[in-house]
């Protein structure tokens, strides 16, 4: 059967399965089986077995459940409260004041959770009631939380970067390094927009909160931030300095999270059980998706779709910039219906050959892909961060999406920046490996 016909049948079948509520992992596996049947391949069972084994025996993948567990432990500590109380005095003089707590708290928590949804949920529980009580603009409070919550996808240790690294066979340590500067740039862009918005709304740049903090209060605030800063420094520093692999650093992070939990006085047997259950649930879900994605990659190779697409791209004469523009639109649209990890595992087998054909650095492309997925996290109808915030506040999903819209465009501007200046992504991996 002609490859184009097979591809059309598989796309239609995938859309039907996803819209009918079939799990992503089962959809991936089902599409692979249909494709192999259409080309007359009779080794489906053998291919499924070997690809499943290969998918779950990658050493790099062992970091994934450990980082998830670390986030689950810290999710159940006083971390969010300490983040708010530690940052609030330090930001009291900035235009926008405590709105910046949303941004910086999400940035810090992202560095220990690796999850966008966990970041938005944890920080939102603490900051939204407090910001409302102090009279801050509701839409801006929701927008800063929705936009900054996506930092959990980019700032290492990012779960989605681990998934991409395994799928694309790119060094996870180098991906972590590559995500640092874009993450900081995004934080600065969010803060710049928030400050500008505040200055436009009031000549003094101040909002309803007029509380002033003494020098001693600011010093005490720094003490609240110290434990989490030390944990982040130890986990990420051990990777960047070559002292530990990402897996070993993740194990150190779990141990450090337990110690931090005990020091904060929030360690309990029930909390331990809940953290293990949460880590097992999420890890098994991601593991099953990766098995399906690995099988799909193998099936696509036998069918010949990636090579056919790569050859088609070559005949179109698209420049790398044109390809990036097309892929940005494609991933944003796809992200309107799927979560970020599903987007990556569904598309890498088809997209990466095209990217390689265009001579685009796979390390840079990983960060680009995560930024595009960040945009989709605050895009209806399936923007996961929008759902998290809707559940926290009870607001209509359209209201939350409208509040997040400016941050959608800020992330888009960050994509333009790393496209024009790829050194933002590649600088740290280059100097650390030299």
């Amino acid at each position: 059967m002609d490859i184009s016909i097979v591809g059309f049948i598989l796309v239609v079948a995938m859309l039907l399965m996803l819209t009918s509520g079939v799990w992503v992992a089962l959809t991936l596996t089902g599409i692979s089986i249909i494709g192999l049947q259409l080309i007359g391949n009779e080794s489906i069972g053998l291919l499924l077995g070997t690809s499943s084994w290969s998918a779950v025996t990658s050493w790099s993948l062992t970091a994934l459940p450990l980082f998830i567990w670390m986030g689950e432990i810290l999710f159940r500590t006083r971390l969010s409260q300490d983040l708010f109380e530690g940052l609030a005095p330090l930001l009291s003089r900035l235009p926008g004041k405590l709105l910046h707590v949303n941004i910086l708290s999400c940035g810090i928590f992202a560095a220990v959770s690796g999850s966008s949804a966990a970041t938005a949920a944890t920080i939102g529980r603490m900051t939204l009631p407090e910001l409302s009580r102090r009279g801050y603009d509701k839409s801006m409070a929701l927008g800063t939380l929705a936009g900054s919550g996506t930092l959990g996808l980019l700032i290492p240790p990012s779960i989605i970067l681990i998934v991409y690294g395994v799928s694309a066979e790119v060094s996870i340590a180098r991906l972590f390094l590559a995500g640092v500067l874009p993450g900081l740039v995004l934080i600065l862009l969010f803060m710049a927009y928030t400050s500008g918005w505040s200055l436009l709304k009031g000549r003094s740049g101040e909002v309803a909160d007029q509380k002033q903090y003494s020098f001693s209060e600011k010093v005490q605030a720094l003490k609240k931030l110290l434990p989490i800063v030390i944990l982040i420094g130890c986990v990420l520093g051990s990777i960047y300095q070559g002292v530990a692999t990402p897996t070993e650093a993740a194990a150190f992070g779990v141990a450090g999270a337990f110690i931090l939990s005990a020091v904060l006085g929030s360690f309990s047997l029930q909390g331990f059980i809940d953290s293990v259950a949460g880590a097992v649930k999420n890890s098994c879900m991601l593991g099953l998706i990766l098995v399906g994605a690995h099988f799909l990659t193998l099936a696509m190779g036998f069918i010949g779709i990636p090579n056919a697409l790569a050859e088609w791209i070559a005949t179109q004469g698209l420049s790398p910039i044109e390809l990036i523009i097309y892929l940005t639109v494609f991933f944003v649209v796809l992200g309107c219906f799927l979560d970020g990890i599903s987007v990556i595992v569904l598309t890498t087998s088809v997209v990466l050959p095209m990217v390689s054909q265009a001579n685009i650095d796979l390390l840079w492309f990983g960060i680009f892909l995560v930024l595009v997925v960040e945009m989709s996290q605050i895009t209806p109808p399936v923007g996961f961060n929008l759902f998290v915030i809707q559940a926290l506040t009870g607001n209509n999903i359209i209201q939350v999406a409208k509040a997040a819209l400016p941050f959608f465009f800020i992330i888009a501007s960050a994509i333009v920046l790393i496209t024009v200046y790829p050194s933002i992504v590649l600088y740290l991996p280059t100097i650390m490996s030299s």
Side-chain angles (χ1 to χ4, degrees):
M1 186 178 293
D2 185 80
I3 290 180
S4 59
I5 297 176
V6 173
F8 176 77
I9 293 173
L10 294 183
V11 169
V12 172
M14 182 183 72
L15 291 175
L16 288 174
M17 293 175 75
L18 290 174
T19 53
S20 62
V22 178
W23 290 356
V24 171
L26 297 182
T27 297
L28 295 172
T29 304
I31 292 299
S32 305
I33 293 173
I34 293 171
L36 291 172
Q37 287 280 12
L38 289 175
I39 65 170
N41 191 300
E42 298 179 356
S43 304
I44 295 175
L46 177 62
L47 293 176
L48 178 59
T50 55
S51 66
S52 300
W53 175 257
S54 300
V56 298
T57 53
S58 170
W59 173 248
S60 300
L61 197 58
T62 56
L64 185 62
L66 290 172
F67 276 127
I68 292 174
W69 192 14
M70 182 177 74
E72 289 285 339
I73 296 167
L74 294 173
F75 181 77
R76 292 167 173 80
T77 68
R78 287 172 41 207
L79 175 64
S80 59
Q81 181 179 348
D82 285 348
L83 277 177
F84 189 92
E85 294 176 356
L87 288 172
L90 305 178
L91 300 170
S92 60
R93 292 187 178 275
L94 276 178
K97 293 191 175 182
L98 298 190
L99 288 172
H100 295 287
V101 172
N102 266 350
I103 300 170
L104 291 180
S105 294
C106 285
I108 294 172
F109 192 80
V112 291
S113 73
S115 167
S116 174
T119 298
T122 304
I123 301 304
R125 283 196 188 104
M126 187 62 204
T127 61
L128 290 181
E130 188 68 15
L131 291 173
S132 177
R133 186 181 68 81
R134 299 192 185 197
Y136 282 79
D137 183 86
K138 182 178 180 180
S139 178
M140 197 61 180
L142 293 175
T144 52
L145 178 64
S148 304
T150 64
L151 293 168
L153 297 176
L154 181 61
I155 295 179
S158 163
I159 293 170
I160 203 168
L161 283 178
I162 297 175
V163 172
Y164 174 81
V166 172
S167 300
E169 298 182 358
V170 176
S171 166
I172 292 172
R174 283 172 57 80
L175 279 169
F176 281 0
L177 281 170
V180 173
L181 287 182
L184 293 176
V185 167
L186 206 50
I187 289 174
L188 291 175
L189 289 175
F190 287 159
M191 294 183 70
Y193 171 76
T194 302
S195 297
W197 172 89
S198 180
L199 289 170
L200 288 173
K201 290 295 181 180
R203 292 179 181 177
S204 64
E206 297 179 356
V207 287
D209 181 28
Q210 301 295 328
K211 183 175 181 179
Q212 299 296 320
Y213 296 90
S214 65
F215 178 76
S216 61
E217 286 178 313
K218 292 181 180 181
V219 172
Q220 290 298 319
L222 286 173
K223 291 181 180 179
K224 290 181 177 292
L225 294 177
L226 192 60
I228 191 60
V229 170
I230 291 175
L231 179 62
I232 295 170
C234 291
V235 171
L236 300 184
S238 63
I239 297 173
Y240 301 157
Q241 294 299 320
V243 176
T245 65
T247 301
E248 293 166 342
F252 295 152
V254 170
F258 275 123
I259 294 171
L260 184 58
S261 175
V263 170
L264 292 174
S266 50
F267 177 83
S268 67
L269 178 60
Q270 187 60 48
F272 171 79
I273 294 172
D274 290 343
S275 71
V276 172
V280 170
K281 178 182 176 181
N282 290 319
S283 299
C284 289
M285 176 190 70
L286 293 176
L288 191 58
I289 289 175
L290 286 173
V291 167
H294 202 276
F295 185 35
L296 178 64
T297 300
L298 189 63
M300 290 297 103
F302 275 94
I303 297 168
I305 290 178
N307 288 334
L309 280 172
E311 290 173 5
W312 179 80
I313 290 292
T315 61
Q316 298 303 303
L318 293 177
S319 68
I321 296 297
E322 290 173 328
L323 177 60
I324 288 299
I325 293 172
Y326 290 155
L327 289 177
T328 299
V329 175
F330 169 70
F331 283 122
V332 169
V333 172
L334 196 61
C336 290
F337 304 96
L338 297 171
D339 66 279
I341 290 176
S342 298
V343 168
I344 287 180
V345 298
L346 271 171
T347 58
T348 48
S349 61
V350 175
V351 169
L352 289 183
M354 291 189 284
V355 173
S356 299
Q357 183 77 30
N359 294 318
I360 296 173
D361 190 300
L362 291 183
L363 182 65
W364 178 92
F365 185 75
I367 302 304
F368 157 79
L369 186 53
V370 170
L371 282 170
V372 176
V373 169
E374 283 189 359
M375 294 169 66
S376 69
Q377 294 291 290
I378 51 177
T379 307
V382 189
F384 272 41
N385 278 26
L386 301 183
F387 285 135
V388 169
I389 295 170
Q390 181 192 32
L392 284 175
T393 63
N395 287 95
N396 183 282
I397 191 72
I398 301 301
Q399 292 177 313
V400 181
K402 185 178 178 181
L405 186 61
F407 296 87
F408 174 92
F409 290 111
I410 293 172
I411 299 173
S413 68
I415 292 175
V416 173
L417 276 177
I418 68 164
T419 302
V420 177
Y421 303 104
S423 58
I424 296 175
V425 173
L426 302 176
Y427 177 71
L428 285 181
T430 300
I431 64 169
M432 293 301 287
S433 61
S434 61

